[in-house]
Amino acid sequence: MNRIMPWHQSLWGRLQEGRRRGQLTHAMLLRGRAGFGKRQFADAFVARLLCEGQEDFACGHCRGCALMAAGSHPDLCQVFPEEPGKAIRVDEIRGLIQYFALRSHYGGFKVALISPADVMNRAAANALLKLLEEPPAGGIIILLADRAERLPATIRSRCQQFPMDRVSGEELLAWDGLGGEVAQRAEAIARAGGSPLAAQSYADPTLATVIASLSQTMAAVLDGRTSPLAAATQYAKSELLLVIDQLLRLAHELLLLQQKAPLPLEKAGRRPAAGLQSLADQLDSVRIATFIQQLLATKQLRLSSPSLREVDLGESVWFDLKAMVG
Ligand SMILES: [Zn+2]
């Protein structure tokens, strides 16, 4: 269960101390740029709150942990947009208020996780504000926001705020999540715009293999040599967001090739993936654009709806791809 980042360890320790002393705040805002592990932190923290064991991390085998693993703990309410890319509406917050009207099922904390909190519309934010003004007994509301400045100041001021994206260059370079030599790590971090989790995917030696195979699998699915399900199985062990990002890149390259425009990687002296030009010649640009929209929607869904099974989303990606040829 301990998947939190080294730069979050001291905060974790302080919060566990607060939990043992019964001094946790009822509203927490985990804020900061994406790619620093705040979602992992929130998931681990929620799991610990609902675990019935005594350790600093969730034990993984008690009743609370079993219910968490099954995605059906009655003392956890997750709030996210009904549709990816849409706002969190007042109905979702009303559901949260009803949830807090009931007592905890097992006598422990009653937890709510709102993510991404920065997409609440005004009515939803007002309803949440009322809840924060009269905090429910035993309730802990956790808000996650990449862009917390979009939240009303009234909401922010009622939460204890934790910036999650502060990490020194030394801490980053020392992180064992990045393999390779220091120079390679530094390059991966720079390419990832300073985000350690994005850097991790750049530094991953299997990434190059995944990238190299994706364009071939794409072609095989499109001409019927591979089924969408077989393709989904092939990449089931790869991070879905990584696969989506690479398919997005390939789809954009297809559009560029159709327009006879230079590809970004050609400027860097690398050649396009084999077979990409012949795919570009066969495919309809409107359908490629539709596929890009679908990829973006699936990506948003993956980010905003943690309860969805990654394997289902992975399959939909490959069926959407197949739809490009009818
Ligand atoms: Zn447990």
Side-chain angles (χ1 to χ4, degrees), residues 91-124:
D91 283 350
E92 270 106 34
I93 301 298
R94 286 200 186 112
L96 187 65
I97 292 168
Q98 280 172 5
Y99 158 81
F100 275 121
L102 299 172
R103 273 195 293 179
S104 157
H105 274 253
Y106 298 113
F109 291 109
K110 227 171 144 57
V111 184
L113 185 60
I114 306 178
S115 177
D118 44 20
V119 301
M120 268 186 291
N121 68 19
R122 183 187 292 260

Side-chain angles (χ1 to χ4, degrees), residues 252-275:
H252 280 122
E253 288 181 3
L254 286 173
L255 288 177
L256 289 172
L257 285 170
Q258 286 188 332
Q259 294 156 17
K260 310 260 183 274
L263 304 187
L265 51 82
E266 286 175 318
K267 291 180 195 145
R270 282 160 50 219
R271 294 194 308 153

Side-chain angles (χ1 to χ4, degrees), residues 1 47-48 50-54 57-66:
M1 281 292 193
R48 175 48 270 192
L50 296 173
C51 171
E52 294 166 14
Q54 302 300 319
F57 284 91
C59 73
H61 47 73
C62 68
R63 175 180 58 184
C65 287

